[in-house]
Amino acid sequence: MSQNNENGKTMERKQIHSALVKAIGEMSNPALSADNPFFKSKYVPLSDILELARPILAKQGIAILQTPSVRYEQQQGNNTQVAVVKICTTIIHDSGETIEIEPFELKADKPTPQSIGSAITYGRRYNITSILGIAGADDDGNVTEQGNGQSQPQDNQQPQQPPQTAISSVEAKIISAVDDASPQGKEYVKVTLEKGSKKLQVIAIEPDMMDKSLKLEQNSVEKFHLKQEQGINYLVGIGEHVQQ
């Protein structure tokens, strides 16, 4: 591979290629330490990947520069805006040689700062793990961007939802309800409840439950209705109302 210099001549990128090969040879797969509640899977946070990669890359005189940008598109057939995130990645060597990576684009789940930020993080993580040849998640192969702007599993399967299992109820005090998003930008609300001396983590993924949980007063006591799947508690009702 070659690139043009200031005089329009080509020069070989031997040094950066050699350094990159050595760096990749030292890489190992980091632990999948974070949970994705939507796809019942685990992934490596971007911060863990950078903590692993930076010292190894620096030893070979390599740095990775990632520049995100966002543009807004109008959905066909309606007035809904879609946020398209673009990640431009450049590998830089201390010799002055560089490698430009093909820009990576993906659509945020919603045109909100939370979803856009999650999409940027996901895009950066996807690019870095691809460049370094390490595994960043056990679900990336199951997710692709469809034309409707939603992160969907391949073969048009919907994200796995809590099955119709038995509903349990608990009267507890709400400690916090915080907006969050999956690595693919899918928004949900993380709810922390307290029952006696024990704390319970609950996930609200349905819009109605997300809205209601965010409106609850801190330290108020309510009856919460839950479904559990693979160790994750999903909020399906508050008070006397249960969402079927």
Side-chain angles (χ1 to χ4, degrees):
M1 297 177 68
S2 61
Q3 64 180 4
N4 291 330
N5 61 16
E6 294 179 353
N7 298 319
K9 298 179 180 179
T10 60
M11 57 182 179
E12 296 297 323
R13 292 183 284 196
K14 293 181 178 179
Q15 294 187 62
I16 191 171
H17 286 163
S18 176
L20 194 56
V21 167
K22 292 175 183 177
I24 291 175
E26 293 187 39
M27 297 287 175
S28 59
N29 290 329
L32 304 177
S33 58
D35 294 305
N36 182 343
F38 276 87
F39 293 99
K40 312 297 190 305
S41 58
K42 301 183 78 67
Y43 68 97
V44 186
L46 178 62
S47 57
D48 289 5
I49 295 170
L50 295 177
E51 185 176 355
L52 166 73
R54 276 175 174 160
I56 298 174
L57 293 171
K59 187 167 68 173
Q60 301 299 334
I62 296 173
I64 295 180
L65 176 65
Q66 292 186 299
T67 306
S69 61
V70 182
R71 72 174 187 273
Y72 295 90
E73 297 179 350
Q74 206 76 12
Q75 281 274 47
Q76 292 183 352
N78 57 48
N79 294 322
T80 305
Q81 270 196 334
V82 176
V84 180
V85 171
K86 180 179 180 180
I87 307 294
C88 294
T89 302
T90 304
I91 307 172
I92 305 170
H93 189 246
D94 58 13
S95 66
E97 297 175 1
T98 62
I99 299 175
E100 299 284 344
I101 306 300
E102 187 76 19
F104 178 71
E105 290 192 353
L106 70 161
K107 295 176 182 178
D109 184 58
K110 295 179 182 179
T112 62
Q114 179 78 37
S115 284
I116 291 171
S118 294
I120 289 172
T121 300
Y122 177 78
R124 291 183 61 200
R125 181 171 63 86
Y126 185 92
N127 255 10
I128 288 180
T129 54
S130 298
I131 291 167
L132 301 180
I134 58 177
D138 59 8
D139 70 317
D140 282 355
N142 296 323
V143 179
T144 183
E145 289 296 318
Q146 303 293 331
N148 62 1
Q150 303 291 329
S151 296
Q152 302 283 357
Q154 291 180 351
D155 301 325
N156 295 322
Q157 294 178 353
Q158 293 298 317
Q160 188 176 357
Q161 298 293 328
Q164 297 299 314
T165 54
I167 297 172
S168 62
S169 299
V170 58
E171 191 170 279
K173 179 169 64 176
I174 182 166
I175 302 301
S176 64
V178 182
D179 275 315
D180 208 335
S182 72
Q184 291 78 22
K186 193 74 174 177
E187 292 184 345
Y188 62 93
V189 174
K190 185 186 298 181
V191 182
T192 302
L193 305 178
E194 185 177 76
K195 175 71 173 177
S197 60
K198 296 182 179 180
K199 289 187 178 179
L200 179 66
Q201 295 293 331
V202 177
I203 299 295
I205 62 175
E206 299 296 339
D208 183 40
M209 290 297 100
M210 291 171 62
D211 183 59
K212 287 185 176 182
S213 61
L214 289 171
K215 290 180 179 178
L216 291 174
E217 292 185 9
Q218 188 177 12
N219 295 323
S220 64
V221 177
E222 298 282 352
K223 181 180 285 187
F224 296 91
H225 307 284
L226 313 173
K227 283 183 181 179
Q228 189 178 78
E229 168 67 12
Q230 295 185 2
I232 299 175
N233 293 299
Y234 292 93
L235 183 63
V236 295
I238 299 174
E240 298 304 319
H241 172 70
V242 178
Q243 191 172 66
Q244 299 295 337

